Amino acid sequence: MATLLLLFFGALRALPAAPSTARPVGANASAAPSVVEVRVGVLLPGRNLRYPWAWPRVAPALRLALEALEPQLRHAGFAVRTAFASTEDENGICDFREALLEATGLENSEDPDVLLGPGCWDPGYLVAHFAHYRQLPLLRAGLHESRSSSRDMNTTVYAGLAGRDLKAFEANLHQHFNWTSRPVVVISPEGDYWEYSLLNGEENGGPYPLTHRPGSPKQWDNAWFIQAFGRVVYILMSPEMLRDVMHLLEAQNMTNGDYVFFYVDILGESLRAEGHREAAKPWQSKSKDSRDMRYLREAFQTVLVITSHEPQTPEYQRFQSQVILRAQRDFGVSVNDSLGTLVAGCFHDVLLLYLRALNETLREGGTKRDTSRILEKMRGLKIQGVTGMVSIDSDNEREMDFNLWAMRDVESGEYQVVAHYVGSEKRIKWLGPIPWKKGSPPLDDPPCVYNMDGSSCGKVSSRGQLWACLSRTDDLLPGSRCETSHCVDPPGMDAVPLAAYSIIGNHGSLKTSDSVVGSGLVLKVSSGGLLKSPLRTILRSLPLPCVFRRTRGLAETGHPTTHPSLTLSRKTDTRTRDSS
């Protein structure tokens, strides 16, 4: 972060002061009729088509916008010129350093009146601060962060794909199904899962979600977390990892309808036909084992997919075809007709909106560098674009629509849209019922699972609460203790081999014992402290469905030892057995 800030402020000091008036083209600025040159600086990945906002996809969209406006631009005396700079590093990755350096370069060489891009999260955040400092409009589409720092980014217009409306959609869903407890978010340790910033926050009308981003892609970790903390789960990871998680959850009997899993897939990658996978069947994997495929299809009955809403109008279909055609003709690349084209459409439409606002500002005597006035105009306008109605709210953010997909056809496993969230109306249009596995939505806070208060919860327990007991402390002091309350083990579950083959064996002396005290399980640090990381690894290796309470204490010496000793005690009513 320190390096990022040094780059940012160093770049700002190197820039000249921003001009404040429009400059007509030609030697004599007072000549009439004058032509106002509008310079658009574009900051996007140059070649990497992994990014839906890569230049080969967005460039055709911008050219289509300017061609559509050509008569009006000529009549208004506008000459629009674009200057492109790539934000990719040498590895083809969208990089914040490149974005800032190229923004600085464009400012010095092209003196742009407006910036367009970047689509990527981190570069976009930094360039937004840059644009604010230079008082330049920044038109963004693609991925962006939460508006927690909006004061420092108030010249940025967010034209899609996701923003505050994703939070509002989540809040609508929870209200509809009467879910009031804290949701759970599981994020892959790999990749830049920006959607978390859009789900995380009080603006969604509910509490902050409890978030888990494991340090490794092992799916047992995710299963533990879900068992311990929630029934309404949002998953942010690749389609391949999603299938791995659901396969494990199916084996753990967690896809029986007691949980619901929302897979946040804004660009609809999991629903596209690709290789072995048919369209609208995100559960299909490379496995040739028919049993695996059957298990995954059954598991995915509890998975709902959230995507952007793709327009179905003839105008959008024509636009999409032209983008695909021109990307091949002008750049020699093939782009499919996925939701990625929607990003290009968002850039197309926000450029139209900006040019209209600029035209109104100039007609009223303003200048093309009157940024606050132009942005005010943009907030007050509504236009029909190729992606639908375009309107910007008071936070300079476009109102976006989303779709909710469910496995409507259980036999074939095909997903269909069951709900359409309309951003401009802040409501959900239901298109069909969700085929809940148990006939109704799961409870987000079932009795005697997460809340054990009340006499009726005496003999009932939840799963995974050993982790919940211990994960809230940075370490365990010698003598710290987590103890079960009314533990009910699943059939065939034996804690002794689970513990013996876990990472506990690498941390001092493992002692397991049965006693006649009663029903329960005790994990005790008897002579030393443990770091947080290995402790959590221990807990992940012991999938015991018990509720634990934690107490703090010190051993007689009061000092942690180099080789801590753990005691895992299983309490039964019959016999006592000790092993080391």
Side-chain angles (χ1 to χ4, degrees):
M1 179 59 71
T3 302
L4 185 151
L5 292 175
L6 285 173
L7 273 170
F8 178 62
F9 289 112
L12 295 182
R13 285 196 297 269
L15 294 177
S20 60
T21 61
R23 297 183 306 183
V25 175
N28 186 356
S30 62
S34 62
V35 176
V36 178
E37 184 182 55
V38 182
R39 293 176 294 278
V40 182
V42 182
L43 294 161
L44 293 170
R47 299 292 297 178
N48 191 345
L49 292 176
R50 183 174 74 87
Y51 299 109
W53 45 87
W55 182 234
R57 185 182 271 114
V58 175
L62 299 184
R63 291 165 187 166
L64 285 167
L66 296 179
E67 289 172 12
L69 282 180
E70 200 276 333
Q72 296 95 315
L73 292 173
R74 187 172 60 251
H75 178 75
F78 282 2
V80 181
R81 180 167 61 86
T82 60
F84 169 72
S86 176
T87 58
E88 289 181 12
D89 63 14
E90 63 275 9
N91 298 314
I93 304 300
C94 198
D95 182 72
F96 70 86
R97 299 175 187 85
E98 290 295 325
L100 180 57
L101 291 173
E102 294 297 343
T104 306
L106 280 176
E107 176 74 7
N108 285 326
S109 64
E110 304 295 336
D111 190 20
D113 303 302
V114 60
L115 294 175
L116 189 145
C120 304
W121 183 7
D122 286 340
Y125 183 79
L126 192 60
V127 173
H129 283 278
F130 173 88
H132 167 76
Y133 180 85
R134 300 298 296 159
Q135 280 299 291
L136 288 172
L138 174 64
L139 312 180
R140 293 185 60 187
L143 314 184
H144 65 80
E145 64 291 320
S146 171
R147 293 305 304 273
S148 59
S149 304
S150 57
R151 289 183 181 177
D152 298 326
M153 298 182 289
N154 59 10
T155 66
T156 299
V157 175
Y158 298 95
L161 285 174
R164 188 169 297 178
D165 279 314
L166 182 58
K167 295 179 182 180
F169 184 24
E170 176 198 3
N172 270 260
L173 286 170
H174 285 235
Q175 183 179 18
H176 181 81
F177 295 118
N178 197 29
W179 294 329
T180 58
S181 298
R182 179 190 302 255
V184 167
V185 180
V186 176
I187 309 177
S188 166
E190 303 170 351
D192 184 14
Y193 286 93
W194 54 276
E195 296 99 329
Y196 165 61
S197 74
L198 306 176
L199 291 169
N200 187 22
E202 294 177 326
E203 300 167 53
N204 58 2
Y208 280 95
L210 192 60
T211 305
H212 178 53
R213 187 165 192 165
S216 70
K218 294 182 178 179
Q219 304 308 341
W220 269 107
D221 199 5
N222 292 321
W224 258 96
F225 180 78
I226 293 169
Q227 282 183 333
F229 294 114
R231 293 294 177 90
V232 180
V233 184
Y234 290 83
I235 298 180
L236 281 66
M237 56 183 60
S238 69
E240 293 75 20
M241 292 187 70
L242 171 67
R243 287 189 286 273
D244 290 342
V245 169
M246 296 311 300
H247 198 285
L248 175 61
L249 296 179
E250 170 73 12
Q252 293 294 302
N253 195 34
M254 293 173 64
T255 59
N256 61 356
D258 289 337
Y259 298 79
V260 58
F261 305 96
F262 289 97
Y263 182 53
V264 184
D265 185 14
I266 298 301
L267 296 175
E269 295 177 278
S270 65
L271 297 168
R272 290 203 304 262
E274 185 175 311
H276 58 276
R277 191 174 67 235
E278 299 175 56
K281 295 184 178 180
W283 51 271
Q284 288 185 334
S285 70
K286 297 178 181 178
S287 174
K288 297 181 180 179
D289 191 326
S290 59
R291 290 175 300 177
D292 282 347
M293 296 290 275
R294 185 175 71 253
Y295 292 150
L296 278 171
R297 187 182 66 202
E298 292 175 359
F300 268 73
Q301 292 178 37
T302 60
V303 176
L304 304 175
V305 181
I306 296 174
T307 70
S308 294
H309 174 74
E310 188 171 28
Q312 303 299 315
T313 62
E315 292 79 11
Y316 180 76
Q317 299 297 328
R318 286 194 295 270
F319 166 79
Q320 189 176 65
S321 300
Q322 281 295 308
V323 168
I324 294 171
L325 178 66
R326 294 187 182 207
Q328 180 65 54
R329 184 193 69 190
D330 300 340
F331 294 92
V333 298
S334 298
V335 296
N336 57 31
D337 57 348
S338 68
L339 273 169
T341 311
L342 184 60
V343 179
C346 290
F347 276 120
H348 173 283
D349 289 349
V350 76
L351 181 59
L352 295 182
L353 187 68
Y354 165 79
L355 290 172
R356 181 170 169 181
L358 174 62
N359 185 41
E360 291 193 8
T361 300
L362 294 180
R363 283 192 313 185
E364 295 174 0
T367 73
K368 64 178 181 177
R369 291 303 176 89
D370 195 349
T371 297
S372 60
R373 194 167 177 180
I374 294 170
L375 293 176
E376 184 180 358
K377 291 288 185 184
M378 292 182 72
R379 288 190 290 269
L381 289 172
K382 286 188 177 182
I383 66 168
Q384 185 67 40
V386 295
T387 60
M389 185 60 67
V390 182
S391 60
I392 304 297
D393 66 16
S394 59
D395 288 316
N396 295 347
E397 195 164 301
R398 182 180 175 182
E399 297 168 326
M400 294 298 295
D401 293 6
F402 298 94
N403 283 344
L404 184 68
W405 299 69
M407 189 186 294
R408 291 286 304 277
D409 189 338
V410 176
E411 291 300 318
S412 69
E414 184 175 349
Y415 273 62
Q416 298 175 18
V417 177
V418 293
H420 172 202
Y421 174 78
V422 184
S424 61
E425 301 175 10
K426 299 294 184 288
R427 70 182 184 92
I428 298 175
K429 290 183 178 179
W430 290 97
L431 308 178
I434 296 175
W436 300 106
K437 215 166 187 182
K438 289 190 172 181
S440 61
L443 299 175
D444 62 328
D445 189 13
C448 301
V449 174
Y450 304 109
N451 184 356
M452 298 300 292
D453 296 334
S455 58
S456 62
C457 300
K459 294 301 178 181
V460 184
S461 67
S462 66
R463 300 177 63 97
Q465 295 301 314
L466 175 56
W467 190 4
C469 175
L470 295 179
S471 63
R472 297 189 181 96
T473 181
D474 288 339
D475 62 354
L476 281 182
L477 295 175
S480 296
R481 179 182 182 91
C482 264
E483 183 175 348
T484 62
S485 173
H486 312 299
C487 175
V488 181
D489 294 335
M493 182 69 75
D494 188 348
V496 176
L498 281 171
Y501 289 103
S502 74
I503 198 171
I504 291 180
N506 297 326
H507 291 272
S509 173
L510 170 66
K511 296 181 179 180
T512 58
S513 63
D514 292 323
S515 68
V516 294
V517 181
S519 177
L521 179 74
V522 176
L523 175 63
K524 181 180 179 182
V525 182
S526 58
S527 63
L530 282 175
L531 296 176
K532 189 174 182 180
S533 178
L535 177 61
R536 287 190 173 184
T537 309
I538 292 171
L539 301 179
R540 288 195 295 269
S541 67
L542 298 172
L544 300 172
C546 311
V547 178
F548 286 76
R549 63 180 182 271
R550 178 171 62 86
T551 59
R552 301 295 298 270
L554 290 173
E556 294 179 1
T557 63
H559 300 287
T561 60
T562 305
H563 301 289
S565 173
L566 295 177
T567 301
L568 177 68
S569 303
R570 174 185 289 281
K571 298 176 181 179
T572 65
D573 295 323
T574 55
R575 53 193 174 85
T576 299
R577 180 183 65 197
D578 289 314
S579 59
S580 297

